[in-house]
Amino acid sequence: MDLSPYLSRINYSGDRSTSHDTLRALHLAHVLAVPFENLDGYRGVPVSLEPADLFAKIVTARRGGYCFELNGLFSLLLEAMGFEVTRLIARVRYGAKPPYPRSHQVLVVTVSGEPWLVDVGFGGNGLLEPMPLEAGAEVTQHSEAFKLLPADGGEYLLQCRVHGEWESLYSFTTDPCQPIDYKYPNYFHSHSPDSIFMQRRICTIPTTEGRKILVDRTLSVRRQGKTEKSAVESEADYARLLRDHFGIVL
């Protein structure tokens, strides 16, 4: 892990101590700089989870990725900086129907004995900053509000307030995972016609006022609770939007 180019990629020049303030600042910097996107798998490019490949894609090529890529590389950055990281896997509920498979990587980072839920790789209404891993916790992060509830089977359930209603994002236990545990769901998401990531081109990034979402031929810009939509006119227009709104050049 080469810290300097990674921190430069996410526009971070702050403190490097293993404090909660550092963790919060790193998390926010990451989600505001690195988009969630599935463009490689959708266009038939293999999605590798090898650390060197993740670094080359996200840092060197200034691309984004989905959860296994973004949280995978972020966990290595945090460990290189001295943080205590536990890798978990979650059941996505947002936009899905039961039964919910374990298909999303999340992290728990322990700082001074206190565990924090960390996730820089959830494409729809995801966390902007860490939140306490405590049932009943409720936080406001810029324009978003989140709460963590107890769920069946000893799971935690993360919810986000969307249009005034609480929506379930995903549920998870604190059973630790190894990198090998993500290879199977990663293969499904980047190969199976049943995966939403093989059905639609998705690119999204939060802002401190809302979120920008490019799905197939529609760009949605959410700002202070209001959403403006515009149609993508052509592939050239699509490439321009990727560059201007998400910093991606394929």
Side-chain angles (χ1 to χ4, degrees), residues 4 6-16 25-26 29:
S4 293
Y6 196 158
L7 295 177
S8 177
R9 167 71 178 96
I10 62 174
N11 305 312
Y12 182 81
S13 58
D15 185 50
R16 298 192 184 187
L26 286 168

Side-chain angles (χ1 to χ4, degrees), residues 36-39 42 123 196-197 200-204 213-216 238:
F36 177 98
E37 48 112 333
N38 69 325
L39 303 178
Y42 182 87
I196 190 174
F197 297 137
R200 312 179 79 177
R201 289 188 296 186
I202 302 170
C203 191
T204 175
I213 305 167
L214 180 60
V215 177
D216 292 333
Y238 185 87

Side-chain angles (χ1 to χ4, degrees), residues 98-170:
Y100 308 108
R102 291 188 173 99
S103 59
H104 176 62
Q105 182 178 2
V106 297
L107 309 172
V108 168
V109 179
T110 303
V111 180
S112 300
E114 296 183 356
W116 295 84
L117 177 63
V118 167
D119 186 357
V120 298
F122 192 74
N125 301 297
L127 293 173
L128 279 77
E129 301 175 3
M131 73 174 296
L133 185 65
E134 178 183 343
E138 186 171 333
V139 297
T140 298
Q141 299 178 351
H142 298 276
S143 61
E144 308 286 357
F146 302 91
K147 66 179 178 180
L148 199 60
L149 301 174
D152 294 340
E155 292 187 324
Y156 290 94
L157 175 64
L158 179 66
Q159 293 187 324
C160 178
R161 186 181 290 277
V162 180
H163 302 303
E165 301 290 337
W166 287 106
E167 296 280 354
S168 295
L169 302 183
Y170 53 78

Side-chain angles (χ1 to χ4, degrees), residues 1 13 18 23 32 41-42 64-65 89 92 96 98 101 143 153 155 160-162 173 200 205 230 235 244 249:
M1 175 58 63
S13 58
T18 54
L23 177 64
L32 294 179
Y42 182 87
I89 195 162
V92 175
S143 61
E155 292 187 324
C160 178
R161 186 181 290 277
V162 180
T173 70
R200 312 179 79 177
I205 194 166
S230 57
E235 284 302 306
D244 293 349
V249 177

Side-chain angles (χ1 to χ4, degrees), residues 175-189:
D175 295 334
C177 294
Q178 300 297 324
I180 187 66
D181 296 321
Y182 305 118
K183 288 191 175 183
Y184 294 93
N186 176 63
Y187 188 87
F188 170 83
H189 279 314

